[in-house]
């Protein structure tokens, strides 16, 4: 793996970490409201997969800030969206759970568990039909694997031979219900194996995620068929800011804090001669500055105008006829 | 020509003209459609464009959303409106909201076609009119095709539109003989006055429009009045201009729909008419709707549960006399 990729990964994972820690602070101050789902602890999956996957369409769940940043969306416009401002990626109408930008092939930000899986299947159908070579990546949690959308989508992606990478981020909890209390099949990748090749990987390890997704991407794009990765990961924060998170033991938290993906990448990168202390220091400073700028940008941005209430409901033709 | 053939002609012409138009749904391809609306399209355009799906309505709509995102113009068929309830998350939470939630960045040029209504003795789970769920969801266009002209031009219009459209048909209209009137300027957002009159305005659509038209001569004869009948092609947006113009002339308003009365779309139209035209009204508005019951299997009971030409005539005549016509 090249030095530049690892450097980029460190920057994005650190950016994600600092961005989200700051988002939490801003939530406490009242600058961000509603549901805020933090992905602190899951950065290796979000960044590793995005970097390995290239430019293909991404369909993601509601814990998607780091996915969006990794895809290249600006911390400023993402933070402004969290603040509900006019300058946000979704003009302040979507919020934390609904980041969209077709310019980055980024399609949400979906807050109904598993409902975006059929979108990924449909998009892959369309892209393949129109002769595009790139596949589609859809990320979802362990909770989604027990819902109907999941099985429908595995079935259709396989039946129609579509280049979809199903990336299951198993963080062990669907809000407060542990995975083994919700799923009859305990190793989730086995719930895909009848439909497509499926593997389980360590989602706290950037290198493992990057390699697995690179391999998967190659497979779906050359074979034109789906592939499945279950990445074991962990969210250090509760499900959302309104979840007390008291269903997890301190011992369990420690086990996963010891595997902190940002710290792991730092250590492993230095060991392999791909990162230096000096580079890390530079990045850490740069990230602090960028996140501060993002917050200032969001704070100073205007609220959407009242007329925005009635825009973006329909296309121009229909907007003209709807009173 | 049959009503269903007008729909088929619209699909065929759009698929011929634009290769990003695809159809998907249960049995729409090889089998030709359970109501034969998509007959011949599989043979002509192949399995990549006339896509047979499993019985998974949620995925039919969800996949269509993804296809629209990916650059196609999908026309999804839900075999009957009863099964669309399986797909309501995709319709209400996804299809209707993606444009708004994305600040206008995600556009969904797609149509979900489905027939609704009471057919013949199909019982409660196969005999429903559910337009209220769509018309009360912001972000959806709800069109209705009451005749071959609206079926042909309306469906083509819906496919070309850059918004998600729920396109409602009626099971009993499929085999009915009718012709497409030449209407190059057809606009589904403008209602048609299908019969002019000066004393009572009656608005309807789908099967009930035909039942209303059958009832008109009896009403006119019994009450000694002339009745104006308006055919809606779109429920949301609703052409209040045409309705308003008519009510200002007649001073009396009746809406005929097949859905159960409580919470009905008919109630919404009556609210609008009352709010906007209260002082033009010479009589309280009248709703003629289905009964508030699950549709029974028994034919006699089934016919008691929905308006019929005879019941429409009787109710309007009674209401007319009560209100001094």
């Amino acid at each position: 793996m090249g030095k530049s990729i690892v450097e980029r990964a460190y920057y994005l994972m650190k950016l994600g970490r600092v961005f989200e820690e700051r988002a939490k602070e801003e939530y406490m101050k009242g600058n961000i409201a509603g549901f805020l789902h933090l992905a602190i602890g899951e950065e290796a999956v979000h960044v590793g997969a995005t970097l390995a996957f290239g430019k293909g369409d991404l369909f993601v769940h509601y814990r998607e800030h780091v996915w969006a940043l990794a895809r290249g969306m600006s911390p400023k416009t993402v933070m402004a969206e969290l603040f509900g401002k006019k300058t946000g990626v979704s003009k302040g109408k979507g919020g934390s759970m609904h980041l969209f930008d077709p310019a980055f092939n980024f399609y949400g930000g979906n807050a109904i568990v598993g409902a975006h899986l059929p979108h990924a299947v449909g998009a892959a159908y369309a892209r393949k039909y129109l002769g595009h070579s790139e596949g589609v990546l859809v990320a979802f949690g362990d909770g989604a694997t027990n819902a109907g959308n999941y099985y429908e989508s595995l079935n259709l992606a396989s039946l129609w031979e579509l280049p979809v990478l199903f990336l299951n981020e198993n963080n062990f909890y669907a809000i407060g219900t542990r995975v083994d209390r919700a799923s009859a099949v305990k190793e989730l990748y086995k719930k895909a194996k009848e439909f497509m090749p499926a593997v389980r990987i360590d989602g706290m390890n950037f290198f493992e995620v990057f390699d697995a997704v690179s391999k998967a991407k190659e497979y779906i794009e050359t074979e034109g068929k789906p592939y499945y990765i279950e990445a074991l990961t962990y969210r250090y924060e509760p499900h959302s800011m309104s979840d007390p998170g008291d269903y997890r033991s301190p011992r369990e938290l420690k086990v996963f804090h010891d595997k902190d993906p940002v710290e792991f990448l730092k250590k492993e990168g230095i060991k392999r001669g791909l990162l230096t202390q000096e580079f890390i220091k530079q990045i850490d400073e740069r990230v602090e500055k960028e996140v501060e700028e993002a917050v200032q940008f969001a704070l100073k941005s205007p609220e959407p105008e009242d007329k925005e209430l009635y825009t973006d409901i329909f296309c121009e033709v229909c907007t003209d006829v709807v009173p | 020509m049959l009503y269903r053939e007008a729909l088929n002609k619209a699909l065929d012409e759009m698929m011929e003209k634009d290769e990003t138009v695809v159809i998907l749904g249960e049995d729409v391809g090889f089998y030709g459609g359970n109501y034969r609306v998509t007959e011949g399209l599989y043979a002509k355009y192949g399995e990549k464009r006339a896509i047979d799906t499993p019985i998974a309505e949620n995925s039919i709509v969800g996949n269509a959303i993804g296809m629209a995102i990916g650059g196609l113009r999908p026309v999804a068929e839900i075999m009957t409106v009863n099964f669309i309830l399986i797909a309501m998350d995709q319709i209400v939470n996804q299809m209707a909201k993606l444009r708004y939630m994305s600040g206008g960045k995600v556009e969904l040029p797609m149509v979900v076609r489905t027939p609704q209504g009471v057919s013949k003795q199909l019982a409660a789970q196969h005999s429903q009119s559910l337009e209220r769920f769509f018309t009360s969801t912001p972000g959806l266009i709800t069109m209705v095709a009451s005749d071959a002209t609206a079926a042909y031009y309306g469906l083509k219009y819906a496919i070309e539109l850059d918004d998600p459209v729920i396109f409602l048909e009626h099971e009993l209209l499929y085999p009915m003989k009718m012709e497409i009137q030449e209407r190059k300027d057809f606009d589904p957002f403008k209602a048609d006055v299908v019969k002019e009159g000066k004393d009572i305005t009656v608005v309807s659509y789908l099967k009930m429009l035909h039942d209303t038209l059958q009832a008109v001569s009896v009403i006119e004869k019994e009450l000694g009045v002339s009745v104006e009948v308006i055919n809606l092609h779109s429920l949301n947006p609703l052409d209040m201009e045409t309705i308003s113009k008519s009510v200002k002339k007649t001073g009396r308003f009746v809406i005929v729909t097949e859905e159960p009365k409580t919470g009905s779309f008919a109630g919404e139209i009556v609210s609008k008419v009352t709010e906007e035209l209260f002082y033009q009204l010479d009589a309280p508005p009248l709703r003629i709707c289905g009964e508030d019951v699950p549709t029974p299997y028994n034919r006699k009971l089934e016919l008691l549960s929905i308006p019929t030409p005879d019941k429409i005539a009787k109710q309007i005549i009674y209401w007319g006399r009560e209100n001094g016509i």
Side-chain angles (χ1 to χ4, degrees):
Chain A
M1 187 179 304
K3 189 169 184 277
S4 62
I5 285 174
V6 177
E7 286 183 348
R8 179 88 186 138
Y10 182 74
Y11 162 69
L12 290 171
M13 283 171 64
K14 187 73 183 185
L15 175 66
R17 176 67 59 92
V18 174
F19 182 96
E20 294 225 294
E21 282 170 345
R22 187 63 188 270
K24 186 179 170 185
E25 276 176 42
E26 297 302 320
Y27 189 94
M28 304 292 220
K29 285 189 210 162
N31 287 328
I32 298 172
F35 287 127
L36 180 71
H37 306 89
L38 300 172
I40 297 171
E42 300 186 9
E43 296 92 342
V45 180
H46 300 188
V47 171
T50 310
L51 288 183
F53 200 68
K55 289 202 178 79
D57 299 337
L58 293 186
F59 290 82
V60 192
H61 45 72
Y62 48 81
R63 199 181 301 284
E64 88 282 32
H65 314 143
V66 183
W67 281 101
L69 296 174
R71 200 14 103 82
M73 286 158 71
S74 155
K76 287 183 178 168
T77 57
V78 174
M79 189 65 87
E81 188 59 35
L82 270 49
F83 277 56
K85 295 298 183 71
K86 183 187 177 177
T87 53
V89 284
S90 304
K91 294 202 213 159
K93 292 178 173 180
S96 159
M97 299 185 284
H98 304 301
L99 306 173
F100 291 88
D101 201 340
F104 291 90
N105 294 343
F106 195 89
Y107 296 102
N110 210 302
I112 305 296
V113 169
H116 59 308
L117 274 69
H119 304 175
V121 170
Y125 190 98
R127 301 300 197 202
K128 189 174 177 180
Y129 176 91
L130 295 170
H132 295 270
S133 62
E134 267 160 346
V136 171
L137 187 155
V138 59
F140 51 93
D142 44 283
T145 70
N146 302 312
N149 275 307
Y150 174 81
Y151 296 96
E152 290 184 16
S153 299
L154 293 181
N155 181 50
L156 285 168
S158 178
L159 178 73
W160 290 340
E161 300 193 342
L162 299 175
V164 181
L165 169 54
F166 291 91
L167 179 56
N168 173 13
E169 299 176 41
N170 180 1
N171 67 14
F172 301 99
Y173 289 89
I175 305 189
T177 301
R178 207 175 54 213
V179 63
D180 58 296
R181 296 183 58 237
S183 180
V185 178
K186 308 302 176 193
E187 294 165 278
L188 300 185
Y189 73 103
K190 290 186 177 167
K191 299 205 287 192
K193 265 199 128 113
E194 288 294 326
F195 298 96
M196 61 194 71
V199 296
R200 174 184 260 192
I201 62 167
D202 177 4
M204 306 303 265
N205 178 334
F206 166 80
F207 299 97
E208 205 171 315
V209 175
F210 187 90
D211 287 344
V213 174
S214 302
K215 197 178 141 201
K217 177 184 158 69
E218 162 122 23
Y219 175 86
I220 65 172
E221 291 178 1
T222 53
E223 300 287 324
K225 290 178 186 171
Y227 193 93
Y228 190 100
I229 295 174
E230 176 193 1
L232 298 179
T233 185
Y234 205 75
R235 56 170 159 80
Y236 295 152
E237 297 294 321
H239 166 72
S240 76
M241 294 299 288
S242 38
D243 166 24
D246 51 6
Y247 40 83
R248 304 182 297 184
S249 70
R251 189 165 151 238
E252 181 180 304
L253 281 161
K254 184 173 180 322
V255 168
F256 284 99
H257 271 293
D258 288 346
K259 297 169 66 125
D260 186 316
V262 180
E263 292 306 313
F264 177 82
L265 178 65
K266 205 192 280 187
K267 243 187 293 171
E268 194 63 21
I270 290 169
K271 203 168 100 190
R272 296 189 193 186
L274 298 164
L275 294 174
T276 63
Q277 289 289 3
E278 196 191 348
F279 175 81
I280 288 166
K281 189 164 165 266
Q282 268 176 21
I283 291 297
D284 290 358
E285 283 166 10
R286 179 180 155 195
V287 160
E288 290 292 342
K289 194 166 155 269
E290 282 182 6
V291 171
E292 179 59 31
E293 282 169 5
V295 170
Q296 291 310 318
F297 175 79
L299 276 171
K300 284 175 192 147
S301 290
E303 297 273 328
E305 287 121 28
D306 290 358
K307 70 173 167 63
E308 287 296 324
L309 183 64
Y310 285 106
T311 62
D312 306 317
I313 300 172
F314 294 120
C315 69
E316 272 175 38
V317 178
C318 293
T319 302
D320 285 346
V321 292
V322 177
Chain B
M1 167 178 271
L2 308 178
Y3 170 87
R4 66 170 165 79
E5 289 169 344
L7 292 162
N8 182 276
K9 185 171 154 70
L11 289 170
D12 188 10
E13 286 178 19
M14 290 307 295
M15 290 176 85
E16 175 89 46
K17 183 177 147 190
D18 179 355
E19 63 175 25
T20 68
V21 176
V22 299
I23 59 170
L24 70 156
E26 293 151 13
D27 290 329
V28 301
F30 181 75
Y31 187 84
N34 282 280
Y35 293 97
R36 298 170 67 187
V37 170
T38 56
E39 202 170 52
L41 301 176
Y42 180 87
K44 192 165 172 189
Y45 300 103
E47 61 175 9
K48 297 286 176 212
R49 297 189 64 194
I51 307 161
D52 283 315
T53 70
I55 303 171
E57 288 79 9
N58 192 59
S59 273
I60 294 170
V61 178
N63 293 162
I65 290 168
M67 289 173 182
I69 286 173
L72 302 182
R73 286 186 178 272
V75 183
E77 175 181 300
I78 300 295
M79 195 191 299
T80 78
V81 81
N82 310 284
F83 315 146
I84 215 168
L85 296 169
I86 308 292
M88 282 308 264
D89 172 59
Q90 291 295 341
I91 290 172
V92 177
N93 275 323
Q94 311 295 335
M95 193 169 112
K97 292 182 176 42
L98 286 184
R99 184 192 282 272
Y100 197 77
M101 293 198 311
S102 68
K105 287 180 177 169
V106 175
E107 194 160 80
L108 300 176
M110 61 182 286
V111 180
V112 178
R113 287 183 40 244
T114 191
Q116 69 166 16
V118 174
S119 180
K120 272 189 189 134
Q121 293 192 270
L122 302 181
Q125 292 177 337
H126 285 74
S127 314
Q128 299 184 83
S129 293
L130 302 180
E131 59 268 49
R132 69 187 69 190
F133 295 150
F134 312 117
T135 55
S136 60
T137 300
L140 293 181
I141 301 291
T142 304
M143 286 168 57
V144 282
S146 308
D147 54 35
T149 308
Y152 172 70
Y153 288 107
L155 184 53
K156 285 176 78 167
Y157 192 101
I159 295 169
E160 283 185 325
L161 203 61
D162 289 331
D163 281 319
V165 177
I166 298 286
F167 194 87
L168 297 175
E169 300 156 10
H170 196 290
E171 290 181 36
L172 289 181
L173 295 181
Y174 285 137
M176 274 173 68
K177 264 194 152 158
M178 40 180 102
E179 293 308 315
I180 299 169
Q181 309 296 321
E182 173 99 11
R183 289 278 297 275
K184 289 227 167 82
D185 60 343
F186 182 86
D187 179 352
F189 303 132
K190 294 263 178 289
D192 282 333
V193 177
V194 288
K195 182 196 167 299
E196 290 198 12
K198 54 183 179 33
D199 303 302
I200 300 173
T201 299
V202 185
V203 171
S204 193
Y205 50 87
L206 294 173
K207 166 78 164 36
M208 287 301 116
L209 174 77
H210 299 266
D211 287 13
T212 298
L213 288 169
Q214 279 186 47
V216 161
S217 60
V218 180
I219 299 165
E220 292 188 328
K221 199 173 145 219
E222 286 290 319
L223 291 177
V225 295
S226 76
V227 174
E228 180 145 301
V229 182
I230 294 174
N231 173 13
L232 298 179
H233 306 308
S234 168
L235 306 185
N236 188 18
L238 179 67
D239 177 13
M240 271 306 286
E241 208 179 305
T242 301
I243 294 172
S244 174
K245 206 175 138 195
S246 175
V247 172
K248 280 175 183 162
K249 177 172 67 176
T250 64
R252 297 179 187 89
F253 179 79
V254 180
I255 168 86
V256 186
T257 66
E258 198 177 300
E259 45 171 357
K261 189 186 254 181
T262 301
S264 59
F265 174 70
E268 176 58 26
I269 296 205
V270 165
S271 294
K272 281 198 161 81
V273 167
T274 313
E275 281 172 349
E276 293 176 27
L277 301 161
F278 188 77
Y279 293 106
Q280 266 82 41
L281 291 172
D282 298 327
L286 175 66
R287 273 189 293 170
I288 300 177
C289 301
E291 299 297 319
D292 287 325
V293 297
T295 309
Y297 164 71
N298 174 277
R299 182 62 177 160
K300 186 183 66 151
L301 295 180
E302 182 180 68
L303 285 173
L304 283 175
S305 78
I306 50 169
T308 59
D310 184 46
K311 281 199 274 180
I312 293 166
K314 280 186 179 140
Q315 284 193 50
I316 291 179
I317 292 162
Y318 178 81
W319 165 85
R321 289 191 175 132
E322 285 287 296
N323 290 288
I325 298 179

